[in-house]
Amino acid sequence: MAQKRVKICVVDGQGGGIGSTIVKRLKEVFQERVEIIALGTNSNATAAMMKARANRGATGENAIVWMAPQADYIIGPMSIVMANSMMGELTPKMAEAISSNHAYKILLPLSQERVSIVGVTHQPLPHLVEDLVSKELKEVIDV
């Protein structure tokens, strides 16, 4: 019987730059041992993550609400759990679906919203993604 692959949903909006950086690094490290699903709040974000070689992709509120509970891990900027963030692209239903399910969430401390997280040092995106993959995911994913 085939073993189920770990399912990682990467959620992003607007231009999908953060999500595509995450997808690219996940592919470099885990290759096809995990399934990477790109979930964009808009089609540009999904297309950018698909171009970075996500296995599958979908766009919009229903896709995120449907797929989030099926994920083992959900990754994205912290705004993916904040209703009406990303200039309103991330709806309250999306934020609830992402934050209320069993999946382990790994959030990057990046946001355009009026929110600060105390104790977080500012690092460039490539360093955050490297920490996400090397320190957070590799410790919990055994593939």
Side-chain angles (χ1 to χ4, degrees):
M1 184 171 181
Q3 189 175 12
K4 179 185 161 229
R5 283 196 301 176
V6 170
K7 191 177 292 184
I8 301 173
C9 288
V10 179
V11 182
D12 198 9
Q14 301 188 312
I18 296 170
S20 63
T21 301
I22 294 168
V23 169
K24 183 178 177 187
R25 186 64 184 137
L26 290 173
K27 277 296 189 183
E28 289 170 355
V29 171
F30 295 107
Q31 300 173 352
E32 295 302 321
R33 297 187 307 270
V34 300
E35 181 179 15
I36 301 171
I37 300 171
L39 297 175
T41 60
N42 65 62
S43 59
N44 288 339
T46 305
M49 292 188 281
M50 291 303 295
K51 189 174 179 182
R53 300 183 38 233
N55 296 94
R56 296 190 291 156
T59 301
E61 181 179 87
N62 197 57
I64 291 173
V65 169
W66 178 256
M67 289 303 301
Q70 299 179 44
D72 297 303
Y73 299 90
I74 298 175
I75 298 172
M78 69 178 188
S79 54
I80 67 172
V81 294
M82 299 169 57
N84 301 312
S85 62
M86 300 182 184
M87 298 175 67
E89 284 186 16
L90 201 112
T91 69
K93 284 185 178 178
M94 291 176 182
E96 181 181 3
I98 292 166
S99 61
S100 298
N101 69 64
H102 75 282
Y104 189 86
K105 290 98 180 157
I106 303 175
L107 305 176
L108 296 176
L110 302 170
S111 176
Q112 296 176 350
E113 313 310 319
R114 296 179 49 84
V115 174
S116 293
I117 299 177
V118 175
V120 174
T121 58
H122 295 280
Q123 296 182 42
L125 179 61
H127 294 179
L128 292 171
V129 172
E130 187 57 35
D131 284 353
L132 181 154
V133 173
S134 298
K135 294 180 181 172
E136 295 292 328
L137 269 180
K138 278 193 120 180
E139 290 182 7
V140 293
I141 295 179
D142 184 25
V143 291

